[in-house]
C-alpha cells in the first residue's frame, strides 16, 4: 500500500456503480473497445449519494475478522492516495480493509484508490465507486462482452486502461463522532470504520447494479446515452426473480420484463430477487443453505440499497455473509467479504485470491519452496478447508514439459502442517500439481500448477595461480544434486566485462547417475586480466537444459591499462594483443622501433575490465626489436618490449 497526498481530481458522489460483463474470464487476448465512459453518463450520481449503507443504533456485538493464524499471500496490489484531511488513525483503519481485499481478489494491475475524509450529508457513512466504465472485448473476437468499471476492466485486460485517473473513488464522512478506528472489535455504541471501508471498496470493485424504479413504479436498467443503447451489466445478468415452484426468470429477459416496464418495477420490489451463478450458488449453500443468494429488494425501492446489497433479514450480523447487507449495527465488526460475496465476484469475472478461493476448493494456495540444506528436494505447501475430509494426497510431476506422472502418494495421517517434501529430484525444470482423494473415494485435482527449477549449486570461482604475464588460472567448482540423470553434461560458459553474451569454454561430462550429491571442478588456464562471469549450463541428451546463476571472477593488474601479448612471439606478419583497462576510457596504442621512430599509432575505446582484441599488421616492418606503448587519458600506462 502507498500513502501519499491527495492527488488532483474530482470527488464523485456515488457508491454502487454499474457495470456489465461476462460471467467467465477471457480465453484470448482481451482489449478495451472505445473510450472510457464517465460514471455520470451511465447513471445519475445523486442516486448513490448515501451508498445505501445505513447505521442502526443497536449493539450487535459480533465479530468476523481474519484469523491471525491465516497467512494468505496478497494476489492484488491496492494503492491508496489519501486526502490531506485523513487522520493517521483513519488511514490505519482503511489500510486494514485494503489488506483484506488484496488477499481476496487477484489482479496483475495495481488498483488505484483516491480516498478523502470530509463532511458528507447527514446519515451518509461513506460513498464509493469506480471512476469510469469501459466496453471490453473479453474474448478477443471483436465484439463487446463486458461493460466494466476500472478495476475489473484492468483485471480482465491485464493492463491499466486509464493510468491518468484513479480506479476507485472513496469519500468517508469525517463528521461521525462514533467511528471505531482500532484493530480490535468495535465496542458498544460505535461503528467500525474498517468494516465500512471494506464494504465501500467492494462497491468500487464492481458490486453494483443498473436497476431503478421511478415514482410511478416503472422499472428499468440504464442506457448508454453516448450510443443510445441499453447497457446490460454483468451483475444485472445474474439477477433473477423467483416465480414460484423453483422457477426463476432473469430480470434482463425482455420477453417477460420489457425495459422499461411496470412488470420490471414490480419484480424489483417483490422481495423475491436472487443472484444466480455457479460460484455464488456453491457459496450460498455454505451459509444459510438457500439454493440462491437472496438480494435486498424491499417493497419500496431504495436507490443505492435495493438489489446492490444482500438481504438483511437473511444474512443478519451474526452470519459471515453480513458485510454487503444495507445495514451495519453498532459494535458490528465485519472484516471479511464472506463466501457469498466471493462467489458473486467469481461469477462476475473477478480472478480470486486465496481468501476467496478457500470456499471453492478442498485445497488451495499451493506453493513450492526449496528445502534448506537439502539440495535437489522441494516442498509443496498448501492451505486446506477445515472439513475437507481428505484421505490421501498425490503429487504429480511434469519434467521439462513432458506428461504428468505421479511421484508420491501419502496417506492423510502421514501429513503434518499441510506440506509434502519430494526428495532427490535431480536437475530439471519441474511443474507440480496436487491431487487428493476424498472420504467418498473421489479424486480431485487442484487447478493450480506450481513450477520450480533445480540447477547446479554452490558455483564458486577461485583464482589459484598467475603466470609471468599476469594471466590467471580460475578454478571452477559446483555441486550436482542427487537424483540427476547420467544424460547430463555440464557446459562452462563465460561472459567478459559488464555486458555481452555468454560463450562456451569447455564441457565436463557426468560420471553416472548422481544417487548422491556430486562435486565437480574445472580449471580455466591462461585467463587474461579483467572481469568475467562464469556459469554452468547443464544439458541432457534431449537438449533439455537448466543454467546456474553466474559467478564473477576478477583478475587484477597493475596500472590503469594492460596489454597481454604479442602472440605469436616472435611476430611474423601480425602482432595480436588483448587490451584491458581498469576504467572505461580511450587508450592510445603506439609502436616504436629501437631508434625511436613511431611505426604504428591507433586510438581504441576500451571498456572497463573487458579485454578487447587488438591486431597490428607487421608484415612491412624490418626484423628487429620493437616497443609497444599504451597511453591512457592521463599518462603513459605501459611499455612492452
Amino acid at each position: 500500500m502507498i500513502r501519499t497526498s491527495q492527488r488532483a481530481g474530482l470527488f464523485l458522489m456515488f457508491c454502487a456503480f454499474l457495470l456489465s460483463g461476462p460471467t467467465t474470464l477471457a480465453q484470448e487476448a482481451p482489449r478495451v473497445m472505445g473510450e472510457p465512459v464517465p460514471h455520470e453518463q451511465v447513471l445519475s450520481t445523486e442516486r448513490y449519494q448515501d451508498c445505501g449503507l445505513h447505521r442502526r443504533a443497536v449493539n450487535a456485538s459480533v465479530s468476523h475478522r481474519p484469523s491471525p493464524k491465516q497467512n494468505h499471500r496478497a494476489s492484488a496490489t491496492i494503492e491508496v492516495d489519501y486526502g490531506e484531511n485523513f487522520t493517521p488513525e483513519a488511514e490505519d483503519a482503511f489500510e486494514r480493509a485494503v489488506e483484506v481485499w488484496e488477499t481476496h481478489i487477484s489482479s496483475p494491475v495495481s488498483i488505484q484508490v483516491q480516498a478523502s475524509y470530509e463532511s458528507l450529508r447527514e446519515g451518509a457513512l461513506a460513498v464509493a465507486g469506480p471512476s469510469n466504465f469501459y466496453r471490453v472485448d473479453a474474448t478477443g473476437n471483436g465484439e463487446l462482452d463486458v461493460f466494466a468499471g476500472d478495476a475489473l476492466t484492468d483485471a480482465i485486460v491485464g493492463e491499466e486502461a486509464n493510468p491518468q485517473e484513479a480506479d476507485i473513488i472513496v469519500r468517508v464522512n469525517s463528521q461521525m463522532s462514533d467511528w471505531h478506528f482500532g484493530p480490535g472489535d468495535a465496542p458498544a455504541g460505535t461503528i467500525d470504520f474498517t468494516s465500512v471501508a471494506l464494504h465501500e471498496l467492494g462497491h468500487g470493485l464492481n458490486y453494483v447494479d443498473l436497476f431503478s424504479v421511478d415514482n410511478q413504479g416503472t422499472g428499468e436498467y440504464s442506457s448508454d446515452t453516448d450510443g443510445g443503447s441499453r447497457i446490460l451489466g454483468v451483475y444485472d445478468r445474474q439477477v433473477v426473480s423467483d416465480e414460484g415452484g423453483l422457477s426463476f426468470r432473469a430480470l434482463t429477459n425482455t420477453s417477460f420484463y420489457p425495459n422499461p416496464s411496470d412488470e420490471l418495477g414490480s419484480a424489483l420490489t417483490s422481495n423475491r430477487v436472487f443472484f444466480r451463478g455457479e460460484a455464488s450458488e456453491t457459496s450460498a449453500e455454505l451459509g444459510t443453505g438457500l439454493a440462491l443468494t437472496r438480494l435486498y429488494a424491499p417493497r419500496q425501492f431504495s436507490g443505492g440499497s435495493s438489489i446492490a446489497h444482500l438481504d438483511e433479514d437473511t444474512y443478519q450480523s451474526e452470519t459471515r455473509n453480513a458485510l454487503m447487507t444495507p445495514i451495519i449495527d453498532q459494535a458490528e465488526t465485519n472484516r471479511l467479504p464472506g463466501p457469498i460475496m466471493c462467489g458473486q465476484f467469481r461469477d462476475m469475472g473477478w480472478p480470486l485470491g486465496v481468501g476467496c478461493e478457500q470456499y471453492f476448493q478442498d485445497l488451495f494456495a499451493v506453493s513450492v519452496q526449496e528445502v534448506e540444506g537439502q539440495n535437489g528436494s522441494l516442498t509443496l505447501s498448501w492451505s486446506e478447508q477445515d472439513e475437507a475430509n481428505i484421505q490421501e494426497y498425490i503429487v504429480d510431476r511434469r519434467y521439462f514439459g513432458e506428461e504428468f506422472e505421479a511421484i508420491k502418494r501419502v496417506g492423510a495421517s502421514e501429513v503434518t502442517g499441510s506440506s509434502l517434501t519430494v526428495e532427490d529430484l535431480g536437475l530439471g525444470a519441474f511443474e507440480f500439481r496436487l491431487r487428493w482423494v476424498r472420504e467418498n473415494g473421489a479424486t480431485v485435482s487442484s487447478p493450480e500448477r506450481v513450477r520450480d527449477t533445480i540447477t547446479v549449486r554452490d558455483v564458486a570461482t577461485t583464482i589459484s595461480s598467475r603466470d609471468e604475464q599476469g594471466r590467471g588460472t580460475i578454478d571452477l567448482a559446483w555441486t550436482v544434486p542427487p537424483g540427476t540423470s547420467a544424460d547430463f553434461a555440464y557446459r562452462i560458459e563465460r561472459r567478459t566485462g559488464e555486458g555481452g553474451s555468454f560463450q562456451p569454454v569447455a564441457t565436463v561430462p557426468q560420471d553416472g547417475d548422481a544417487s548422491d550429491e556430486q562435486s565437480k571442478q574445472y580449471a580455466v588456464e591462461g585467463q587474461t586480466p579483467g572481469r568475467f562471469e562464469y556459469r554452468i549450463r547443464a544439458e541432457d541428451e534431449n537438449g533439455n537444459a537448466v543454467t546456474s546463476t553466474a559467478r564473477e571472477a576478477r583478475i587484477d593488474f597493475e596500472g590503469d591499462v594492460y596489454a597481454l601479448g604479442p602472440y605469436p612471439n616472435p611476430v611474423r606478419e601480425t602482432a595480436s594483443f588483448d587490451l584491458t583497462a581498469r576504467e572505461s576510457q580511450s587508450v592510445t596504442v603506439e609502436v616504436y622501433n629501437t631508434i625511436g621512430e613511431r611505426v604504428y599509432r591507433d586510438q581504441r575505446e576500451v571498456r572497463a575490465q573487458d579485454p578487447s582484441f587488438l591486431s597490428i599488421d607487421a608484415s612491412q616492418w624490418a626484423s628487429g626489436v620493437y616497443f609497444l606503448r599504451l597511453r591512457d587519458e592521463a599518462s603513459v600506462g605501459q611499455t612492452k618490449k
Side-chain angles (χ1 to χ4, degrees):
M1 287 73 66
I2 295 178
R3 300 181 179 184
T4 63
S5 61
Q6 175 182 320
R7 89 176 81 173
L10 294 174
F11 286 125
L12 306 178
M13 298 182 68
F14 58 99
C15 171
F17 253 23
L18 37 131
L19 105 86
S20 63
T23 57
T24 58
L25 296 180
Q27 300 299 310
E28 298 182 10
R31 62 188 180 91
V32 172
M33 302 177 67
E35 296 299 315
V37 180
H39 67 278
E40 301 94 337
Q41 192 169 309
V42 181
L43 200 65
S44 169
T45 58
E46 287 77 12
R47 175 177 166 187
Y48 289 111
Q49 285 188 18
D50 67 355
C51 204
L53 179 62
H54 305 287
R55 56 182 297 178
R56 182 162 53 192
V58 174
N59 289 315
S61 299
V62 296
S63 177
H64 305 283
R65 294 195 291 154
S67 169
K69 296 181 180 180
Q70 292 178 322
N71 187 23
H72 293 165
R73 62 181 183 270
S75 49
T77 300
I78 301 177
E79 299 178 345
V80 184
D81 212 355
Y82 290 101
E84 60 184 10
N85 293 326
F86 247 94
T87 64
E89 60 179 359
E91 288 188 19
D92 290 341
F94 199 98
E95 285 296 326
R96 284 191 286 274
V98 165
E99 290 167 3
V100 170
W101 276 120
E102 287 181 324
T103 63
H104 282 71
I105 59 172
S106 178
S107 177
V109 180
S110 293
I111 299 169
Q112 305 297 322
V113 178
Q114 182 177 329
S116 65
Y117 195 46
E118 60 183 276
S119 176
L120 301 180
R121 76 182 190 182
E122 185 177 357
L125 298 176
V127 294
S131 180
N132 293 289
F133 295 85
Y134 305 84
R135 303 171 184 87
V136 180
D137 173 13
T139 56
N141 63 359
E143 297 181 1
L144 172 63
D145 299 304
V146 183
F147 189 75
D150 298 86
L152 181 55
T153 295
D154 294 347
I156 293 173
V157 175
E159 60 183 26
E160 182 68 65
N162 188 2
Q164 289 76 32
E165 294 187 49
D167 301 311
I168 299 172
I169 308 296
V170 180
R171 301 170 64 213
V172 185
N173 194 345
S174 62
Q175 302 304 304
M176 292 274 294
S177 60
D178 55 355
W179 280 128
H180 166 68
F181 299 105
D185 294 342
T190 66
I191 298 295
D192 188 56
F193 188 98
T194 299
S195 299
V196 172
L198 195 70
H199 178 110
E200 299 305 328
L201 286 171
H203 285 304
L205 291 169
N206 268 87
Y207 198 97
V208 294
D209 79 295
L210 302 177
F211 295 108
S212 64
V213 178
D214 65 19
N215 294 332
Q216 285 72 45
T218 301
E220 67 174 334
Y221 46 88
S222 184
S223 61
D224 177 1
T225 56
D226 180 38
S229 59
R230 294 285 180 178
I231 295 173
L232 182 60
V234 64
Y235 185 99
D236 304 330
R237 271 182 202 169
Q238 293 162 263
V239 176
V240 299
S241 176
D242 180 8
E243 301 300 316
L246 297 179
S247 175
F248 298 93
R249 288 176 181 163
L251 294 190
T252 55
N253 184 340
T254 54
S255 297
F256 296 95
Y257 306 111
N259 185 23
S261 68
D262 292 341
E263 292 83 358
L264 180 57
S266 297
L268 289 168
T269 54
S270 65
N271 200 26
R272 299 195 310 273
V273 178
F274 296 83
F275 187 99
R276 191 171 196 176
E278 180 179 353
S280 56
E281 288 179 44
T282 298
S283 56
E285 294 174 357
L286 298 175
T288 62
L290 292 177
L292 299 182
T293 297
R294 183 184 288 274
L295 300 179
Y296 183 64
R299 297 295 182 183
Q300 181 65 43
F301 190 88
S302 177
S305 293
S306 293
I307 311 303
H309 288 86
L310 299 180
D311 183 63
E312 182 70 37
D313 292 334
T314 305
Y315 310 105
Q316 297 180 10
S317 59
E318 64 270 16
T319 71
R320 57 179 174 171
N321 291 304
L323 178 68
M324 290 310 292
T325 63
I327 295 174
I328 182 170
D329 292 334
Q330 294 175 158
E332 178 181 346
T333 304
N334 201 328
R335 300 177 185 174
L336 288 171
I340 282 181
M341 190 178 187
C342 287
Q344 290 176 291
F345 266 50
R346 191 179 203 181
D347 288 331
M348 287 189 286
W350 263 110
L352 300 184
V354 174
C356 278
E357 279 291 357
Q358 64 179 308
Y359 302 119
F360 307 101
Q361 290 289 338
D362 294 335
L363 302 186
F364 53 95
V366 182
S367 62
V368 62
Q369 305 88 26
E370 295 180 3
V371 182
E372 185 175 356
Q374 196 172 335
N375 197 4
S377 298
L378 297 171
T379 294
L380 292 175
S381 302
W382 62 89
S383 296
E384 186 172 318
Q385 284 194 40
D386 293 337
E387 300 177 358
N389 292 323
I390 293 173
Q391 304 301 301
E392 186 181 31
Y393 301 90
I394 306 168
V395 178
D396 295 334
R397 181 196 71 175
R398 188 201 298 271
Y399 179 72
F400 282 116
E402 298 173 355
E403 295 297 320
F404 275 108
E405 61 174 348
I407 60 171
K408 192 161 189 171
R409 302 179 71 105
V410 181
S413 61
E414 303 174 57
V415 175
T416 57
S418 297
S419 66
L420 282 172
T421 296
V422 185
E423 301 85 0
D424 301 341
L425 287 162
L427 296 173
F430 303 97
E431 184 177 358
F432 299 94
R433 74 182 176 197
L434 193 62
R435 291 184 291 149
W436 57 95
V437 181
R438 290 174 174 163
E439 190 175 31
N440 61 6
T443 300
V444 184
S445 177
S446 170
E448 297 178 81
R449 305 289 187 267
V450 291
R451 299 174 178 83
D452 206 346
T453 299
I454 299 178
T455 69
V456 301
R457 304 298 167 88
D458 307 321
V459 179
T461 57
T462 306
I463 301 172
S464 60
S465 63
R466 301 283 286 266
D467 62 19
E468 66 279 0
Q469 296 191 63
R471 296 177 300 184
T473 296
I474 298 179
D475 292 326
L476 288 166
W478 64 94
T479 58
V480 178
T484 299
S485 168
D487 292 343
F488 277 95
Y490 305 93
R491 189 172 75 186
I492 299 166
E493 298 180 331
R494 175 179 61 202
R495 177 166 62 187
T496 62
E498 298 292 340
S501 60
F502 281 91
Q503 300 298 325
V505 174
T507 300
V508 177
Q510 170 82 312
D511 298 325
D513 289 338
S515 56
D516 297 316
E517 187 174 82
Q518 292 185 1
S519 297
K520 292 189 173 294
Q521 301 85 31
Y522 185 82
V524 182
E525 299 178 343
Q527 181 63 73
T528 304
R531 178 190 177 278
F532 305 89
E533 289 180 276
Y534 284 88
R535 70 184 186 187
I536 310 300
R537 177 181 172 84
E539 186 170 330
D540 67 13
E541 295 176 352
N542 296 319
N544 299 315
V546 291
T547 304
S548 73
T549 55
R551 291 291 182 267
E552 180 185 88
R554 190 185 297 267
I555 300 178
D556 209 354
F557 52 89
E558 296 182 359
D560 291 327
V561 291
Y562 171 89
L564 173 65
Y567 47 87
N569 191 14
V571 174
R572 298 189 181 277
E573 293 187 351
T574 303
S576 299
F577 299 87
D578 288 316
L579 296 181
T580 306
R582 191 173 301 280
E583 303 293 340
S584 296
Q585 59 183 291
S586 178
V587 176
T588 301
V589 182
E590 298 173 321
V591 179
Y592 293 86
N593 59 23
T594 54
I595 62 175
E597 294 177 331
R598 187 173 68 191
V599 296
Y600 177 85
R601 185 181 186 280
D602 190 15
Q603 195 82 14
R604 302 295 295 268
E605 298 299 322
V606 182
R607 294 186 299 179
Q609 307 290 329
D610 187 1
S612 61
F613 180 73
L614 170 66
S615 179
I616 300 175
D617 182 8
S619 61
Q620 304 301 314
W621 297 355
S623 298
V625 176
Y626 292 83
F627 298 89
L628 175 73
R629 178 170 293 178
L630 304 178
R631 298 178 183 271
D632 60 21
E633 294 175 342
S635 62
V636 175
Q638 183 182 9
T639 300
K640 293 180 66 73
K641 183 178 179 180

